[in-house]
Amino acid sequence: MTLRSPLRRVLAGFTLAIAPMIAQPASAQFFWSPPDMSAPPLTDAAAATAMGLPGATAAEIKAGLAWNLRAALNVAALQCQFEPTLLAISNYNAMIAHHDAELDTAQAVLLAYFQRTVGKGKPGQSASDMYNTRIYSGYSTVQAQKGFCQATAEVGRQAIFAERGTLHEVGRVGLGSIKKSLVAAGEQFYGTPGYDYVVALPSFAPTCWKKGVLLPVCHQAWNDRTGVKP
């Protein structure tokens, strides 16, 4: 059946109207124009520095990449629940289930690293425990929460589809962007009015007040600063 011309024009216009919404990337959850959180893959030297594992061997760096990625996605699962469409919890759980063997190995290798570099027995175990606390704290953010949640959602999606035994490669490629996202950077097109907002308060100098009342001269200065007109 052939559509009548007026209806066809209406449907065509409707399609054009919704096309931009369909084409929006996942970043539109937070940003119309997102900050650039891209970063090159980490070399072994850069990874050792970024993860705080000086003198680590190639095998220890692989373990650190997998373990740090686990920590980042774990923090995201706790802090990014305010936006359910990011799937932060399900991505983390799926990553754990899919890469459990590599993560078990990574944990053992990192413990051996601290036993080797700090000392066998209790000193190495204590250093390993403190390292875990430190990396979890390092991925926790408030001001940059939206960018962090966006970055971890993208990398977490890659992690759950990566082949078993390759989680460290996902970390090598993705941890740079996750760490970059920890620096506050908001909407790039419209700016960040929430972050830029500054409360303009009157002067609290004793010379501006008498019996709890702001004196006219100081009140006028306050009005001038805030743009209030009499």
Side-chain angles (χ1 to χ4, degrees):
M1 180 178 68
T2 302
L3 292 173
R4 294 181 181 273
S5 180
L7 179 58
R8 186 161 54 230
R9 285 197 298 269
V10 170
L11 291 177
F14 180 72
T15 301
L16 290 173
I18 66 172
M21 292 184 285
I22 296 174
Q24 288 303 310
S27 59
Q29 289 158 321
F30 298 133
F31 311 112
W32 183 264
S33 179
D36 179 14
M37 292 181 287
S38 61
L42 295 171
T43 63
D44 278 7
T49 300
M51 296 186 299
L53 297 172
T57 65
E60 290 164 347
I61 288 171
K62 285 183 179 180
L65 289 167
W67 199 250
N68 270 258
L69 181 57
R70 174 193 179 275
L73 296 184
N74 194 350
V75 172
L78 297 172
Q79 292 191 347
C80 303
Q81 298 178 37
F82 66 93
E83 179 47 76
T85 62
L86 291 177
L87 305 177
I89 297 176
S90 60
N91 280 350
Y92 174 72
N93 290 336
M95 182 273 295
I96 291 292
H98 189 50
H99 298 288
D100 57 339
E102 183 178 357
L103 289 169
D104 287 344
T105 300
Q107 186 178 28
V109 170
L110 285 178
L111 177 58
Y113 164 83
F114 288 106
Q115 298 278 5
R116 175 175 68 84
T117 58
V118 178
K120 294 185 179 297
K122 187 175 180 179
Q125 183 65 62
S126 296
S128 178
D129 293 341
M130 288 189 291
Y131 178 74
N132 279 305
T133 300
R134 188 164 66 250
I135 62 175
Y136 271 81
S137 298
Y139 289 116
S140 181
T141 180
V142 176
Q143 291 292 339
Q145 188 178 44
K146 291 181 179 179
F148 170 75
C149 290
Q150 193 68 59
T152 51
E154 294 176 4
V155 179
R157 184 73 174 171
Q158 297 164 13
I160 63 177
F161 288 105
E163 293 184 8
R164 286 186 170 90
T166 64
L167 185 63
H168 64 279
E169 289 300 331
V170 179
R172 185 181 296 277
V173 173
L175 276 174
S177 65
I178 290 176
K179 287 183 175 293
K180 187 175 180 180
S181 74
L182 294 170
V183 178
E187 168 58 47
Q188 300 298 289
F189 187 81
Y190 292 103
T192 54
Y195 292 108
D196 299 339
Y197 181 75
V198 177
V199 177
L201 298 175
S203 172
F204 289 101
T207 54
C208 279
W209 298 83
K210 184 175 182 180
K211 295 183 179 181
V213 177
L214 184 63
L215 296 178
V217 173
C218 296
H219 201 297
Q220 183 58 50
W222 183 30
N223 287 345
D224 294 341
R225 193 164 68 253
T226 57
V228 175
K229 297 181 179 180

